[in-house]
Every structure is written in structure tokens, then in C-alpha cells.
Amino acid sequence: MSETRIDHDRLFKELLSTFFEEFVLLFFPHVHEQIDFHYLSFLSEEVLTDVTAGEKHRVDLLVETKLRGEDGLIVVHIEHQSYIQSSFSERMFIYFSRLFQKHRRRILPIAIFSYDAIRNEPSSFTVSFPFLTVLDFRFLTVELSKLPWRTYIRHDNPVAAALLSKMGYNEEEKVEVKKEFLRMLTRLELDEAKQRLLFGFFETYLRLSEEEEVRLRDEVKTMEEKEAAKVMELIVSYEQKGMEKGMEKGIEKGMEKGMEKGMEKGMEKAKLDVAKRMLAKGFDADTIHELTGLPLETIEQLKP
């Protein structure tokens, strides 16, 4: 998938707004202990204008909450950064100052770095003279590419599951990373909407080739029987959703032509395309027949 087509900020905002408490618990347990999560309010999107640079910036996520045992409100500002920017710490301070000016509350700034390069991002912005430090602004950081993904598979945490796709794995480990993601997903037992959110996020950043998908299924078969059944059910479920989308596109294509015959051809082509992909990924003919409705003879003819 082309890097320019991914709306990174939207994906991260959706993930973190849905699982805000889980995010804080995963990466900042000392902060989690202090926040009263019974009071949470997601504030409207802030647009900040940089007059000098002639630019407008949207703050990614603002959450109004409380500290335990205190009456006053605080604001948690989470900023996601998908590319390297030398002036990022300065931008975090500018956001902080503008937000403080507006809300007049204590603000906890957090930055998440999701690009693939491994580097040491600053977590402060300082203005000083030899005789005086005028400003020492600090913020919390998460650098995903530096995190050891194997450590996080032990957490039954939906944010950990999704972010495995952006942690520090190599190409040879991709199949294993997805296998562990699926295992985590079955343990979490989330509702369908949240499960779909996590699956969509993960697949955006870590997509396997057809050969790797076959390897994944082979590895799933070596799991304990009950767990293997759950994971395979999850895989088949999302393959079926992909098939349904393909069929919908076929119908749309036929409707655009304004011909019933075109619709039928579109649906048939969508089924055949899905069947070919499922064969390539190691599904047996009976399963494909059950999900697509194609005759077993047709499926056998599609085999290479």
C-alpha cells in the first residue's frame, strides 16, 4: 500500500480514542495509577495556526479527565508523528502553550512516533542562556520502532495487539507477528466492531504475501487444537468479509453498466477472484465452496 494513501493520524486517533485507558496502562502505568478514568471527555478537534510558517495544524487527540482524589480537571494531549521532523519538540511546545492559553488547565503531553527508522527522539524543548534556563518543557514519548514486539504479546491489551504491526520486527518475523496478533485477538474476546478496528489497523501496517499467508496457516495448525480452531475461525471470518466486499464491488460495477448480465458477471468474477486467493492461501475446496457458493468442480479447476 502506498505510504501517501494511509491516513496515519486518523487510524491512530480512532485506535487511541477507542482504547484510551488501555493505551495509558500499557505504556505509562505510573500515569494510569493517578488518573480517574470514570471521568473522560474527548474534546473537539483543535486547529492551531502557525502565522510565521503560514501553516495550520490539527491536534490529534485531546482528552479531559481528572486525577484521583482531586477536583480539578486536566487535559491529556496525544500527538502522533509518522515522519521524522527535526523541529517536532518545538512543535509540541507550541501546541502545549496554545492549548494552555485556551483551557488554562494542567496539560499532560504525550508523543507517539510510528515511523520505521530507529533514532533517539528528544522528549524536551529547552530555551536557555549561559546564565539562565528560561524554559525546560518535557513530554512523554513512545517510540514504536524501538519496542521489542515479543515483550508485548504477553499483554492482553488491545492497543498492544494493534501496535505489534509498528514495533521492531524484521521481515523474517512478519508471519510470527501476525500469528501472535491473532492469538491476542482471540484472547481479548472483543465485540465485532472493536475487533474489526484492531484487525483493520494491523493489516494496514503489516500485510502478508500469499506465500506468507500459507505459512501462517501451517503454523496455526501446529497450535493446541482449541486455540487453533479459534484463530482459524477468525481468519476465515475476515476472508469472508473480504469476499463480500469483492462481491459488492462486482454488483456496483454491473449496476454502473445498467445491465443485469453485467451484475451477474461482476458477482461471478468476484467469487472466482476470492476463490483463487483462498486457494493460494491454503484453504481447502470444501471451505471455499461453503463461503463462496461456487461448485466444487469449478474450484478444482482453479487449482494451479
Side-chain angles (χ1 to χ4, degrees), residues 72-296:
L73 299 174
I74 68 168
V75 174
V76 179
H77 165 215
I78 302 177
E79 193 68 21
H80 165 248
Q81 185 71 1
S82 62
Y83 60 93
I84 296 171
Q85 182 184 34
S86 58
S87 60
F88 179 78
S89 58
E90 178 182 335
R91 179 154 68 89
M92 283 294 286
F93 168 68
I94 293 171
Y95 285 1
F96 174 88
S97 60
R98 299 281 183 83
L99 293 170
F100 181 79
Q101 183 180 33
K102 177 177 180 177
H103 297 279
R104 295 292 177 176
R105 292 179 187 148
R106 287 179 291 175
I107 297 171
L108 176 63
I110 302 173
I112 307 173
F113 300 97
S114 68
Y115 51 75
D116 295 334
I118 297 178
R119 50 182 270 136
N120 293 320
E121 281 288 351
S123 58
S124 64
F125 177 68
T126 305
V127 177
S128 64
F129 298 93
F131 51 84
L132 177 67
T133 298
V134 177
L135 173 70
D136 188 10
F137 168 72
R138 298 178 179 275
F139 51 96
L140 298 174
T141 62
V142 179
E143 296 181 70
L144 293 175
S145 63
K146 295 169 71 172
L147 299 180
W149 67 272
R150 293 181 189 278
T151 301
Y152 288 87
I153 62 177
R154 302 186 183 96
H155 296 265
D156 286 337
N157 185 306
V159 176
L163 293 181
L164 286 181
S165 60
K166 293 298 292 179
M167 292 184 186
Y169 57 84
N170 57 48
E171 283 294 310
E172 289 71 30
E173 295 174 319
K174 284 173 62 181
V175 172
E176 190 176 358
V177 173
K178 185 167 182 179
K179 180 184 72 175
E180 295 300 334
F181 163 74
L182 293 168
R183 295 177 73 182
M184 292 173 75
L185 215 54
T186 57
R187 293 200 305 268
L188 288 167
E189 297 183 343
L190 301 169
D191 62 54
E192 186 179 351
K194 289 180 178 178
Q195 194 177 80
R196 193 184 310 121
L197 188 160
L198 296 181
F199 207 100
F201 185 99
F202 184 92
E203 289 261 301
T204 298
Y205 293 110
L206 195 160
R207 189 174 292 276
L208 300 183
S209 66
E210 291 187 354
E211 181 182 343
E212 288 169 331
E213 288 285 359
V214 172
R215 281 174 47 207
L216 172 64
R217 282 157 180 75
D218 289 340
E219 292 196 18
V220 169
K221 291 173 184 175
T222 66
M223 293 180 186
E224 184 270 328
E225 186 177 352
K226 187 177 291 185
E227 184 181 35
K230 287 183 178 180
V231 172
M232 191 58 71
E233 182 181 350
L234 189 62
I235 293 173
V236 171
S237 171
Y238 278 90
E239 287 289 345
Q240 186 173 14
K241 287 181 175 65
M243 181 201 72
E244 290 169 355
K245 283 186 179 180
M247 290 175 66
E248 286 173 7
K249 286 182 180 179
I251 293 171
E252 289 171 6
K253 187 174 181 181
M255 290 178 70
E256 286 171 4
K257 292 180 179 179
M259 298 169 57
E260 186 176 341
K261 189 174 181 180
M263 290 199 307
E264 292 174 357
K265 283 185 176 180
M267 291 179 65
E268 191 67 21
K269 185 177 185 304
K271 289 182 180 181
L272 291 171
D273 288 344
V274 170
K276 287 177 183 176
R277 290 201 301 273
M278 293 181 75
L279 283 170
K281 292 177 180 180
F283 283 95
D284 59 71
D286 288 334
T287 301
I288 298 171
H289 166 68
E290 181 182 345
L291 294 177
T292 64
L294 289 171
L296 287 171

